[in-house]
């Protein structure tokens, strides 16, 4: 088990290097810092000097890989690759193009993101699993048939409409909760209620349908027939046998996204004006702040890799058949 | 005797998306207390559906359309689902075919047994646990206390089937329905499980419905035999009478289709034609295939850097010779390495050590062109008729593929004529070449595989369990065909199988494999009638043997 | 020539895709084992109806992809002059909706503007009123009295036209099917009316009838009124929503075209050759997969924006520029979405290569690449098809989200995402401007819903685990 985890962590290193190289290529080679500067400053009427200043302020004036103007190790260290990419390995994100400390921003903004994402995930799971169990219980009836159609219809609606529609109906027509904004402490709940509910509703269609498939697949297995032949009631078959087996794929599917919850939801946070990492990212994209986007790309990848590792470990915890070696 | 179960005029339909299949048609039968009734039939005869109808465990698509199932004069079909639950697992218990999938994989064995006990009896948890321990002991698990806390995947197939039996017997059922309980097991394990079932049944005076396709098992265990075909009962007789003088033509055909030593040289299922037994094999001739100290090891990898920490010794020094025009049977139970030997002869996997000499050349040393030339002479027929044909290719193209790959010089028109000839030889209609595999039955597919192998005119064909997935009557046809072809074309067969009856009928020589080595080899007469090695003796005594007349 | 054809890059790819689809359909017609599952798809009414709707969308997209420069009336010397703008066949069909641009917002089917304006009359009087629209209902002298009757009349005319079109289609269909089945016309009609055919002819004819009536009446009414109102700059919203179909369909379809070859080749190679080939391919897709999709797309689109800003001169027209961006978006979406299919195909190849027919082929000495091409690829094609159909709807939805956060198609391109993006701020108006959003919602929902339903049917028919066919 431990040797497995060590191997997986070792395996993550080349992947992190790969991600680093990809982001480096995307951000500094495909487009040179000059291009970025021009694009930021507006390409007409910008002088060489303005571009040079812009680059110097943000540390983009250095050469890409090799700096001949200094000596020793500094030849490699005083470069964009070292300053901007290699430092990501130790989570040194540096400062944004507008001069703010990215690490500090992240540490501040992850809490609102989590405040939405965690209840969204947990309540969402509870709701969708209950629905899916109910549908699976009525399998091969009209209830099943129409539930699936409704699920397909629900998942055919763009998230944008759930958010706009929810905001409009609840916030504007009913005036129950504020449409957008955020506050700290308990006050936050009234701001979080609407985004969480909308988040859950927008995910119901796809998840319910998926879980239903998992349940039905389990229900066709031989051990279910064995349980029935023992005289086990249908309810007990569902909860003690089917659910227990079906939770393996469901839980492990959830575990992989757990770390990514930190990243927040781009759309929800943007719409509801919640100062989380999602809206942070969107703002950066809209402002074309490359430093922040680059940091978020790297952070997201690391979290995803952690998610993969956690998935494997969680398998061994919930499935007695799997022993990692 | 007291009538335990009375099935009267039972009919069951299976509703498919586009049509309805009448799976069971007006079946009537009785089971008495302490009696074992064998329900025999080939695949699709409706024997399993009958069993599931009794316990009302039909799949969603199944529906009983008429009839009664009376357990001590109570009609089970009229009971509420709730009342039925107190009967299932309590008065009627079931065992299924697949020990690997029939147990819940994430629940401990002990819990699965205790669940059944607590459902039907008012016992405390400790009492239930006690009962569970004694049950596991009764079905012969080595360490009941430890086994209780284990998960199903930690046990072997035979052990799991014992656990299934323990679950079934958890509450003293009056009727036990066993649906092919030993089909997935090796013969030696099968013999143990059968003996266990028999003794438990006698102890408890249960009625038992034993569903199987294997007449040898039937003779060993059954008091009464009921033969089913196409959903109907064709014969219902006492076991002794049945094997002495089967009444129905289909029953006779089933018995005649069984391969055995006595039928050597005769066409199976058809006593009128005798085949020329003495084939043209010349004993002085040199062996065409010589396997010398063959070793195949698969590495086991572990640790941080996935280093090789050991080997699975699949084949561990196997030597044998195959003479032209002869059949050598390689016999053994699952996991003994017999299939690995076959595949390594064809270079389908890499050999660790040893030599394979084919008509004078060491195959292992050949490369490229030379190896290609030898491939023409060595062909293989596989076990599973469904996975051995590419579903996306026409039969004609399948047969032609080898001809093109191995003999590029022939003309398309010549090849076409040859394909017609081959299809004729294996007894398939001529229009078969323009059809796809899914249009053929299992037996026909196996004929196509034979035609594919014959297409390149091989000198040796490796037959890897070619008939074990087939019903017995179809098996007879395929064995007849193989025998005919050998007589006509003079090929040698390396016949890999677990089935002693097939060996005794077909093979000239036999090599018995166990745990990667050959424990005994010699002529069929010698080995089967006077086995010397202990393993061979055990194997032979475990085979359920059908004696007729 | 009355026009000068223009083939944008995405047009060319779209035509290529259409050609591939046509060839595919012709090919499966001759192979019973390929034909059977598709027959099953259209024998189910859900499948047949969804296919009708999807084909309608596809046809609109196709019409909108035939671009040209229209000829101008002026003629210099013997040479014709062509307009600088690029229009499509669809634009020509929808000319009234394209050209009748109002000043600003107007509600659906309204004859008046949405906001009050100062109007100075000839007699010097100045009034604060809702002015009449320049085009919408302009032919009426008093909309308050005449509009309903006029709309009813237009609607009836549209329905009649639609039914006529439907009758023509059904007539052709009946004649063709009679000819191909070789039965008497009377017998054929009898089967169809009694609904005895294997195919859901009833459901299909109702669907086709509905589609024909909807198209005809919206064209008739739309030429005199603004069916879904107008947006901030007075553009017809119905026209925008229809024009967005091309973007949606193209993103769904072209992305697939981009990713398929990569996923198929890499997936089958990884599964078949194993060893270091497998390691390298796995490394590539795990790395790509670990970068959150939205961020990778955002980063790439940002960079393309920068590139395009700095090289603005290299594009002849705005249309071409927008087209390049659409193509890039498809490419990027393709890069982020091939990994899933690649992993599926790798696993399937892993399974397939152990199949006995592959071993038989090896025993014949058939070369590895031939085994890949003849034995492995045809046997995982059902997975490819299922994935393509399932991914389609996801991509259409993704376009809207990406355009909404400004990393989707060019703001000048008509797309549902851009419509939502522009309209969402108007939700705060009093009274609400709801029509742009609703139009985008309806058109997108219908496409995605039927794509999803179709995907369900296709999966049921093609997946051997579900259907039990090979």
């Amino acid at each position: 088990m431990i040797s497995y985890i060590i191997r997986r962590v070792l395996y993550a290193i080349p992947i992190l290097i790969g991600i680093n190289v990809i982001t480096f290529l995307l951000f500094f080679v495909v487009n040179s810092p000059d291009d970025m500067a021009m694009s930021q400053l507006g390409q007409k009427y910008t002088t060489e000097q303005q571009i040079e200043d812009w680059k110097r302020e943000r540390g983009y004036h250095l050469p890409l890989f090799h700096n001949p103007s200094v000596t020793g190790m500094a030849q490699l260290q005083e470069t964009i690759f070292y300053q901007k990419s290699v430092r990501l390995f130790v989570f040194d994100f540096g400062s944004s193009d507008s001069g703010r400390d990215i690490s500090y921003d992240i540490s501040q903004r992850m809490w609102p993101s989590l405040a939405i994402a965690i209840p969204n995930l947990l309540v969402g799971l509870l709701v969708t699993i209950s629905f899916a169990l109910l549908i699976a219980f009525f399998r091969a009836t009209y209830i099943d048939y129409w539930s699936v159609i409704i699920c397909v219809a629900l998942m055919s609606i763009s998230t944008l409409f759930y958010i706009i529609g929810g905001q409009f109906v609840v916030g504007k027509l009913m005036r129950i909760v504020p449409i957008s904004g955020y506050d700290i402490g308990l006050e936050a709940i009234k701001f979080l209620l609407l985004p969480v509910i909308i988040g859950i509703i927008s995910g119901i269609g796809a998840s319910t349908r998926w879980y239903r498939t998992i349940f039905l697949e389990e229900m066709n297995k031989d051990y279910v027939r064995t349980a029935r032949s023992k005289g086990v009631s249908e309810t007990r078959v569902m909860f003690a046998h089917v659910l227990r087996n079906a939770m393996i794929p469901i839980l492990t599917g959830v575990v992989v996204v757990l770390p990514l919850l930190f990243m927040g939801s781009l759309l929800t946070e943007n719409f509801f004006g919640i100062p989380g990492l999602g809206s942070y990212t969107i703002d950066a994209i809209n402002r074309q702040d490359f430093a922040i986007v680059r940091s978020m790309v790297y952070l997201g990848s690391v979290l995803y890799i952690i998610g993969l590792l956690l998935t494997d470990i969680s398998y061994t915890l919930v499935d007695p058949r799997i022993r990692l070696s | 005797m007291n009538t335990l179960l009375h099935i009267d005029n039972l009919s069951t339909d299976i509703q498919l998306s586009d049509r309805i299949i009448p799976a069971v048609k007006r079946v009537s039968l009785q089971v008495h207390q302490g009696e074992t009734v064998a329900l025999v039939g080939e695949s699709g005869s409706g024997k399993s559906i009958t069993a599931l109808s009794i316990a009302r465990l039909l799949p969603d698509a199944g529906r009983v359309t008429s009839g009664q199932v009376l357990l001590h004069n109570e009609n089970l079909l009229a009971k509420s689902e709730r009342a039925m639950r107190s009967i299932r697992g309590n008065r009627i218990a079931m065992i299924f075919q697949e020990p690997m999938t029939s147990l819940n994989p994430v629940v401990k064995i002990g819990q699965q047994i205790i669940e059944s006990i607590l459902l039907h009896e008012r016992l405390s948890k400790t009492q239930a646990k006690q009962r569970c321990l004694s049950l596991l002991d009764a079905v012969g698990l080595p360490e009941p206390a430890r086994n209780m806390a284990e998960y199903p995947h930690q046990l072997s197939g035979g052990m799991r089937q014992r656990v299934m039996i323990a679950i079934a017997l958890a509450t003293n059922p009056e009727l036990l329905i066993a649906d092919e309980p030993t089909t997935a097991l090796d013969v030696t394990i099968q013999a143990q499980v059968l003996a266990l079932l028999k003794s438990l049944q006698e102890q408890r005076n249960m009625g038992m419905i034993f569903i199987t396709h294997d007449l040898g098992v039937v003779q060993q265990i059954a008091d009464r035999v009921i033969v089913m075909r196409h959903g109907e009962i064709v014969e219902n007789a006492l076991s002794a009478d049945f094997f002495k003088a089967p009444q129905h033509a289909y029953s006779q055909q089933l018995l005649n289709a069984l391969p055995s030593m006595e039928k050597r040289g005769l066409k199976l299922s058809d006593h009128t034609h005798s085949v020329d037994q003495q084939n043209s094999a010349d004993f002085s001739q040199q062996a065409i295939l010589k396997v010398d100290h063959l070793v195949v090891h698969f590495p086991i990898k572990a640790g941080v850097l996935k280093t090789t920490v050991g080997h699975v010794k699949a084949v561990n020094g196997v030597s044998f010779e195959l003479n032209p025009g002869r059949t050598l049977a390689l016999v053994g139970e699952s996991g003994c390495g017999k299939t690995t030997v076959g595949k390594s002869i064809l270079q389908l996997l890499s050999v660790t050590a040893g030599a394979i000499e084919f008509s004078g050349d060491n195959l292992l040393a050949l490369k490229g062109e030379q190896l290609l030339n030898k491939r023409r002479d060595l062909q293989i027929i596989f076990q599973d008729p469904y996975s051995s044909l590419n579903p996306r290719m026409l039969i004609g193209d399948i047969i032609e593929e080898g001809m093109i790959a191995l003999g590029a010089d022939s003309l398309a028109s010549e090849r076409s004529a040859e394909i017609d000839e081959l299809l004729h030889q294996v007894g398939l209609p001529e229009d078969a070449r323009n059809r796809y595999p899914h249009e053929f039955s299992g037996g026909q597919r196996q004929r196509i595989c034979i035609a594919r192998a014959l297409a390149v005119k091989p000198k040796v064909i490796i037959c890897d369990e070619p008939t074990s997935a087939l019903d017995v009557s179809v098996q007879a046809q395929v064995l007849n065909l193989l025998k005919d072809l050998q007589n006509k074309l003079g090929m040698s067969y390396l016949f890999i199988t677990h089935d002693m009856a097939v060996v005794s009928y077909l093979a000239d020589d036999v090599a018995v494999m166990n745990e990667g080595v050959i424990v005994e080899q010699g002529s069929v007469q010698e080995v089967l009638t006077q086995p010397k090695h202990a393993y061979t003796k055990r194997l032979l005594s475990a085979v359920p043997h059908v004696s007729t007349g | 020539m009355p026009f000068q054809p223009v083939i944008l890059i995405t047009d060319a790819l779209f035509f290529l895709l259409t050609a591939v689809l046509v060839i595919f359909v012709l090919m499966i017609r001759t192979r019973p084992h390929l034909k059977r599952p598709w027959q099953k798809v259209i024998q189910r009414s859900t499948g047949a109806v969804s296919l009708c709707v999807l084909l309608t969308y596809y046809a609109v997209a196709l019409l909108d992809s035939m671009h040209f420069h229209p000829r101008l009336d002026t003629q210099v010397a013997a040479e014709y002059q062509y307009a600088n703008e690029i229009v499509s066949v669809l634009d020509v069909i929808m000319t009234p909706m394209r050209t009748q641009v109002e000043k600003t917002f107007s509600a659906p089917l309204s004859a008046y503007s949405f906001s009050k304006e100062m109007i100075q009359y000839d007699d010097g009087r100045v009034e604060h009123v809702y002015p009449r629209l320049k085009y919408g209902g302009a032919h009426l002298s008093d909309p308050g009295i005449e509009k309903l009757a006029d709309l009813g009349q237009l609607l009836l005319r549209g329905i009649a036209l639609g039914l006529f079109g439907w009758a023509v289609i059904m007539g052709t269909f009946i004649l063709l099917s009679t000819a191909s089945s070789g039965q008497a016309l009377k017998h054929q009609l009898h089967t169809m009316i009694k609904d005895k055919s294997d195919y859901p002819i009833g459901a299909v004819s109702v669907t086709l009838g509905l589609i024909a009536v909807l198209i005809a009446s919206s064209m008739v009414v739309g030429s005199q009124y603004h069916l879904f109102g107008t947006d901030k700059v007075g553009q017809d919203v119905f026209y925008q929503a229809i024009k967005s179909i091309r973007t949606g369909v193209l993103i769904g379809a072209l992305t697939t075209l981009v990713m398929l070859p990569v996923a198929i080749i890499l997936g089958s190679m990884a599964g078949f050759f194993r060893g270091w080939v497998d390691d390298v391919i796995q490394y590539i897709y795990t790395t790509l997969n670990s970068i959150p999709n939205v961020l990778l797309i955002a980063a790439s689109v940002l960079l393309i924006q920068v590139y395009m800003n700095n090289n603005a001169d290299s594009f002849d027209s705005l249309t071409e520029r927008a087209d390049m961006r659409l193509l890039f978006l498809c490419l990027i979406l393709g890069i982020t979405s091939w990994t899933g299919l690649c992993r599926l195909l790798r696993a399937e190849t892993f399974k397939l290569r152990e199949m006995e027919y592959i071993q038989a082929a090896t025993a014949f000495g058939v070369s590895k690449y031939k085994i890949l091409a003849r034995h492995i690829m045809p046997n995982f094609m059902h997975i490819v098809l299922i994935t393509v159909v399932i991914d389609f709807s996801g991509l259409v939805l993704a376009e809207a989200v990406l355009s909404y956060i400004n990393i989707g198609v060019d703001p000048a391109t008509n797309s549902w995402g851009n419509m939502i993006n522009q309209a969402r701020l108007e939700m705060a108006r009093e009274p609400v401007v709801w029509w742009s959003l609703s139009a985008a919602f309806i058109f997108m929902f219908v496409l995605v819903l039927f794509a999803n339903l179709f995907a369900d049917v296709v999966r049921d028919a093609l997946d051997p685990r579900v259907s039990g066919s090979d």
Side-chain angles (χ1 to χ4, degrees), chain B residues 70-216:
Chain B
L70 302 169
L71 182 73
H72 285 310
N73 294 322
E74 294 170 63
N75 187 0
L76 296 183
L77 299 182
K79 286 195 176 297
S80 71
E81 178 59 29
R82 194 182 178 78
M84 197 60 210
R85 280 208 299 271
S86 64
I87 291 174
R88 268 184 228 133
N90 188 18
R91 296 171 63 192
I92 299 179
M94 297 188 80
I95 306 171
F96 301 102
Q97 173 174 358
E98 287 299 333
M100 304 318 247
T101 54
S102 291
L103 292 167
N104 190 333
V106 299
V107 177
K108 286 175 184 161
I109 285 158
Q111 277 174 19
Q112 301 198 38
I113 299 171
I114 290 171
E115 179 183 32
S116 190
I117 299 172
L118 290 180
L119 269 174
H120 301 292
E121 286 180 40
R122 294 175 146 255
L123 292 180
S124 71
K125 286 226 162 125
T126 8
Q127 284 170 314
K129 206 173 162 190
Q130 276 309 316
R131 165 90 65 91
C132 175
L133 279 172
S134 62
L135 275 168
L136 285 177
D137 189 49
V139 296
L141 255 67
E143 289 175 74
R146 195 176 58 114
N147 297 139
M148 257 184 82
E150 282 181 321
Y151 289 98
H153 71 275
Q154 290 168 293
L155 298 179
S156 69
M159 286 298 157
R160 286 190 216 187
Q161 206 58 308
R162 286 168 193 266
V163 173
M164 277 299 291
I165 296 173
I167 291 177
L169 300 182
T171 54
N172 283 319
E174 300 161 65
L175 176 69
L176 178 65
I177 302 174
D179 188 355
E180 304 258 9
T182 59
T183 308
L185 306 175
D186 277 327
V187 273
T188 48
I189 311 289
Q190 163 172 296
Q192 294 165 8
V193 172
L194 285 178
L196 173 70
L197 274 174
K198 192 83 199 161
S199 76
L200 287 170
Q201 185 217 4
E202 276 162 12
Q203 272 172 34
R204 300 173 178 229
N205 199 26
M206 285 185 298
M208 175 153 81
I209 297 179
F210 195 100
I211 296 166
T212 183
H213 68 280
D214 188 335
L215 286 169

Side-chain angles (χ1 to χ4, degrees), chain A residues 34-320:
Chain A
D34 291 282
D35 292 336
M36 280 191 255
M38 291 233 289
S39 167
Q40 279 276 306
L41 299 169
Q43 58 247 39
K44 290 175 189 153
Y45 321 117
T46 21
T47 59
E48 286 285 312
Q49 189 54 43
Q50 278 174 307
I51 291 176
E52 204 50 43
D53 290 345
W54 188 89
K55 278 162 52 182
R56 189 168 293 277
E57 268 170 41
R58 291 158 182 80
Y60 295 148
H61 62 290
L62 298 167
L64 285 181
F65 298 105
H66 183 253
N67 192 347
S69 62
V70 286
T71 52
M73 274 305 281
Q75 281 199 337
L76 292 177
Q77 284 172 355
E78 298 278 306
T79 58
I80 290 182
F81 184 69
Y82 184 83
Q83 298 283 339
K84 302 289 171 191
S85 282
V86 177
R87 284 207 179 158
L88 284 179
F89 278 120
V90 290
F91 298 101
D92 177 0
F93 296 120
S95 52
S96 70
D97 287 349
S98 54
R100 289 176 61 90
D101 181 17
I102 297 179
S103 301
Y104 174 77
D105 277 349
I106 289 176
S107 69
Q108 289 298 304
R109 282 171 164 264
M110 59 186 253
W111 302 113
S113 285
L114 285 177
I116 290 187
I118 290 178
N120 191 347
L121 179 82
L122 294 182
V123 182
L125 262 183
L126 199 72
V127 172
T128 46
I129 288 179
S130 316
F131 275 144
L133 265 178
L134 210 63
I135 298 175
F137 199 80
F138 290 106
R139 69 194 174 281
T141 63
Y142 275 99
I143 297 178
D144 181 25
Y145 180 78
W146 283 106
S147 306
V148 172
I149 298 261
I150 291 171
C151 283
V152 173
L154 284 176
M155 62 190 266
S156 303
I157 299 173
S158 170
T159 329
L160 293 169
F161 287 108
Y162 281 111
I163 297 176
I164 296 176
Q167 221 172 23
F168 182 72
V169 172
V170 180
K172 201 159 174 186
L173 293 184
M174 298 167 143
R175 295 174 200 281
I176 303 171
V177 288
I179 290 183
S180 74
Y182 191 70
D183 207 341
I184 43 167
L186 278 179
E187 282 294 290
I189 291 175
K190 73 174 187 218
F191 289 102
L192 293 180
L193 209 57
L194 190 55
V196 168
I197 291 174
I198 288 174
I200 291 168
I201 292 176
S202 66
I204 275 187
S207 318
T208 307
R209 202 171 72 122
W210 183 43
Y211 295 156
R212 170 188 167 272
T213 322
I214 295 179
F215 287 137
L216 288 190
E217 211 165 277
E218 284 299 326
M219 290 177 81
N220 282 325
K221 291 198 171 158
D222 287 350
Y223 70 82
V224 175
R225 190 178 55 183
T226 308
R228 291 203 185 110
S229 81
K230 289 197 279 192
V232 176
S233 69
E234 202 59 15
T235 334
R236 200 179 143 79
V237 165
M238 289 299 277
F239 284 96
H241 292 276
V242 173
L243 187 59
R244 211 156 154 183
N245 278 279
M247 280 319 274
I248 295 172
I250 293 177
L251 274 185
T252 44
V254 168
V255 168
V256 74
V257 299
L258 276 183
L260 286 172
L261 293 183
F262 283 101
M263 302 288 289
S265 153
L266 298 187
L267 287 181
T268 316
E269 291 182 13
N270 177 279
F271 263 104
F272 292 99
I274 288 162
L277 282 180
S279 53
Y280 187 57
T281 315
I282 283 221
D283 292 346
I285 292 171
N286 285 335
R287 282 204 317 270
Q288 307 208 345
D289 192 324
F290 293 92
I292 296 177
V293 176
R294 204 177 60 237
S295 309
M296 295 312 285
V297 166
Y298 186 74
L299 184 66
S301 313
V302 173
L303 291 173
Y304 177 80
I305 292 170
I306 295 175
L308 286 184
L309 183 63
L310 288 181
T311 307
D312 283 353
I313 295 172
S314 67
Y315 257 122
T316 60
L317 298 179
V318 292
D319 191 341

